[in-house]
Amino acid sequence: MTNKEDVLRKARELQQSIQGLETIQYYKQVEAQIHQNEHIAEQMKILKQQQKQSVNLQNYDKPIAYQRSEATIQAIQTEIDDMPIVSEFRQAQREANDTIQFIVETLADGIDINQLDSQQDDV
């Protein structure tokens, strides 16, 4: 019978193995580049401020100013989205997510819940 410590140890080993995968390493590398990019950081700051302003304009029933604010938000978002590093980040993120999802599905498929239930009935 396994105890909680054994399960946690195995989970940590699996976590380290997953973190060592090339796909995950590449994602982390691109993510670090995104966080170090001052232009992206500044655009994100402006975007958040504009989003707050847009919410306020909507709450105070200022439709024309709200529409202008939303257009500004869309322009900033488009500028960010058009940056090559952002496209690269999103692609790396998709690949990392797909890899992790594949691992989770493989683990789930390898565990037969019915078999576990019948083992408990035997005890």
Side-chain angles (χ1 to χ4, degrees), residues 1-7:
M1 185 164 176
T2 59
N3 61 32
K4 184 177 179 178
E5 291 80 24
D6 289 339
V7 171

Side-chain angles (χ1 to χ4, degrees), residues 46-59:
I46 293 168
L47 180 65
K48 288 178 184 178
Q49 290 171 344
Q50 193 67 41
Q51 288 170 333
K52 287 179 184 178
Q53 181 180 358
S54 189
V55 168
N56 288 336
L57 291 170
Q58 187 177 28
N59 289 338

Side-chain angles (χ1 to χ4, degrees), residues 31-103:
E31 182 183 34
Q33 290 175 359
I34 288 280
H35 290 299
Q36 293 170 356
N37 188 307
E38 292 179 19
H39 181 67
I40 292 175
E42 182 62 28
Q43 289 302 100
M44 292 301 294
K45 179 181 171 185
I46 293 168
L47 180 65
K48 288 178 184 178
Q49 290 171 344
Q50 193 67 41
Q51 288 170 333
K52 287 179 184 178
Q53 181 180 358
S54 189
V55 168
N56 288 336
L57 291 170
Q58 187 177 28
N59 289 338
Y60 291 117
D61 198 26
K62 306 268 186 182
I64 295 172
Y66 172 74
Q67 289 174 351
R68 278 190 238 138
S69 180
E70 288 295 305
T72 301
I73 289 169
Q74 187 58 46
I76 295 168
Q77 188 65 56
T78 299
E79 180 184 342
I80 292 169
D81 290 345
D82 288 346
M83 294 178 171
I85 189 67
V86 173
S87 297
E88 188 175 352
F89 170 75
R90 289 197 174 128
Q91 180 63 33
Q93 187 177 43
R94 275 191 297 276
E95 290 173 7
N97 285 339
D98 289 347
T99 299
I100 292 169
Q101 186 64 38
F102 176 73
I103 292 167

Side-chain angles (χ1 to χ4, degrees), residues 16-27 99-100 103:
Q16 289 175 350
S17 295
I18 292 170
Q19 286 180 349
L21 294 173
E22 185 178 327
T23 305
I24 304 302
Q25 290 293 313
Y26 180 68
Y27 165 73
T99 299
I100 292 169
I103 292 167

